[in-house]
Structure formats: C-alpha cells, structure tokens
C-alpha cells in the first residue's frame, strides 16, 4: 500500500502574480492546512504528509471515514484542515492536533479538503487534464465521505471573489490551475499558481 502512495508526492505550487482574467485557468480557494495525499477504500486508508511522513494515525476520524468508502483504492491529493464555523482554516488548531500525532480529549475535528483524484483501482489518472480529474473526483466520491470536503472551482468573476471573499474573510488566497494541466508528482509546476492575499501568512 505504501509503495503505491509513495509514487504520488504532491505536485507543488508556483507563486507569482496572475491576471484574474487569463484564459484557460480554473480557480480554487486556498485552504491553509497540511498538504496530504491519501490512498483509501474497501477497509484501507493511508495518509502521507507533504514530506512523506505516515500521517495515518494522526487523524483517526479521517482514517475511519475513508477506510469505509466502497471500491477503489482511490488516491487523492488535498489539505487536512481544521475549519471554523464559516469555513475558514484555523491553522493554529491544526498544529495543536498534529503535534499530538493522535486524537486527544477536546481535539477539534479535521476536514480533508480534497482537490484532485490521481488514481482509481489500477488506473492512473495523473496524465488526464485536471478538469477531467476533478469531474472524476466528484463522480467517484459520491456521496462525499464524512470529514471530507470536495474543493470546487470557478472560472468567472475571479477578481470580485478575491477582493470580497478572500479579503473580507482573511483567507490566505486563491490557487489558479491550468484546466488542461496534468499531475506531475513531486514537481513545482508553473501550471499551478498560488495568488496570496497581501499580508497573509502562509503555512509553508
């Protein structure tokens, strides 16, 4: 199991200004959490941190939920976060969870904000266009497992969303991705770009 997930170290973001109206891009909210890949389904679940550490036991509520998913195994990419009542990432609470490396009394539950599907069963999806992988993600994880949020995307009115939602809610920023981008494990790609809110403090 570990050998399969280890084939998919996270594809990393570039960071630069980008025209909100540039054609061919889709946009996502940037969740402020721990970048995590997962392989799960039919009784198994493995979680790996951005640096390859085995994080399966850190978040037992997530492990139990994902292991109960039928079919697969599925390999996905996302951010493990603690979200507040309006859906903002609470990075301090997440760090408290992760420092313990286990569940503890009073711990805030995590949410796995999943934005990409990399494999289903023996089929590798990484060479498909991103927009097709996101469609497959919604199709395969329906109903959505408990403690999982499927990260949506948008293509229009991006500048208004950035100034109204991102600034007003003090989110870290947005992530722009080429709609036709393939997934390149372990590579920092210019086809995925983080556009930060001025003054935001990144988690990594």
């Amino acid at each position: 199991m570990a050998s399969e997930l280890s084939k998919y170290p996270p594809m990393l973001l570039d960071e630069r200004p980008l025209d909100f109206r540039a054609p061919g891009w889709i946009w996502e909210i940037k969740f402020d959490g721990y970048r995590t890949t997962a392989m799960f389904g039919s009784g198994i679940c493995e979680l790996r941190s951005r640096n390859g550490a085995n994080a399966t036991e850190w978040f037992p509520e997530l492990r139990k939920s994902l292991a109960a998913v039928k079919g697969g195994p599925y390999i996905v990419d996302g951010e493990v976060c603690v979200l507040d009542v309006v859906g903002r990432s609470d990075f301090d609470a997440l760090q408290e969870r992760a420092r313990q490396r286990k569940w503890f009394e009073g711990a805030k539950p995590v949410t796995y904000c999943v934005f990409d599907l990399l494999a289903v069963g023996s089929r590798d999806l990484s060479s498909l266009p991103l927009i097709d992988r996101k469609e497959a993600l919604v199709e395969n994880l329906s109903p959505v497992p408990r403690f999982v949020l499927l990260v949506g995307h948008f293509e229009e009115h991006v500048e208004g969303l950035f100034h109204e939602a991102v600034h007003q809610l003090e989110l870290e920023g947005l992530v722009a991705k080429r709609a036709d981008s393939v997934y390149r494990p372990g590579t920092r790609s210019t086809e995925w770009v983080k556009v930060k809110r001025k003054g935001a403090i990144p988690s990594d």
Side-chain angles (χ1 to χ4, degrees):
M1 181 168 63
S3 61
E4 288 301 311
L5 189 54
S6 67
K7 296 177 182 177
Y8 296 94
M11 179 168 156
L12 303 178
L13 303 173
D14 192 15
E15 185 176 328
R16 67 177 189 272
L18 186 66
D19 187 342
F20 291 122
R21 294 163 294 182
W25 295 82
I26 63 174
W27 298 76
E28 302 169 352
I29 295 293
K30 173 67 174 72
F31 287 91
D32 190 9
Y34 281 3
R35 187 73 178 274
T36 305
T37 53
M39 185 167 81
F40 61 90
S42 298
I44 65 167
C45 177
E46 180 185 356
L47 304 172
R48 290 278 167 180
S49 73
R50 171 178 166 173
N51 296 323
N54 190 333
T56 309
E57 299 304 320
W58 300 3
F59 310 112
E61 68 273 42
L62 186 56
R63 180 199 67 215
K64 182 178 179 181
S65 175
L66 292 177
V69 174
K70 296 180 180 179
Y74 305 98
I75 296 180
V76 301
D77 189 3
E79 297 261 350
V80 172
C81 303
V82 172
L83 302 180
D84 68 13
V85 293
V86 297
R88 294 175 299 190
S89 306
D90 184 340
F91 193 70
D92 290 339
L94 177 65
Q95 284 189 309
E96 179 65 22
R97 279 291 312 264
R99 272 196 295 268
Q100 299 283 347
R101 299 291 193 269
K102 61 182 180 180
W103 175 262
F104 57 93
E105 189 68 29
K108 294 184 178 180
V110 297
T111 299
Y112 190 23
C113 303
V114 176
F115 49 71
D116 213 331
L117 177 63
L118 308 180
V120 178
S122 60
R123 186 183 178 203
D124 183 332
L125 307 183
S126 61
S127 62
L128 293 179
L130 170 63
I131 199 70
D132 293 342
R133 300 197 308 273
K134 291 183 80 68
E135 182 177 343
L137 175 64
V138 173
E139 290 176 352
N140 281 275
L141 290 189
S142 180
V144 180
R146 192 180 182 200
F147 303 114
V148 172
L149 170 69
L150 300 187
V151 178
H153 65 276
F154 45 94
E155 302 174 52
E156 299 178 335
H157 311 298
V158 180
E159 187 170 8
L161 181 74
F162 186 79
H163 290 293
E164 294 172 16
V166 172
H167 279 272
Q168 289 185 16
L169 294 175
E170 297 186 342
L171 306 177
E172 184 181 348
L174 300 177
V175 175
K177 299 176 179 179
R178 293 286 306 179
D180 60 357
S181 61
V182 301
Y183 193 93
R184 304 183 190 280
T187 299
R188 188 173 296 280
S189 173
T190 58
E191 295 187 311
W192 286 16
V193 179
K194 178 166 63 174
V195 180
K196 285 201 309 180
R197 172 180 60 84
K198 187 176 180 179
I201 301 175
S203 59
D204 51 20

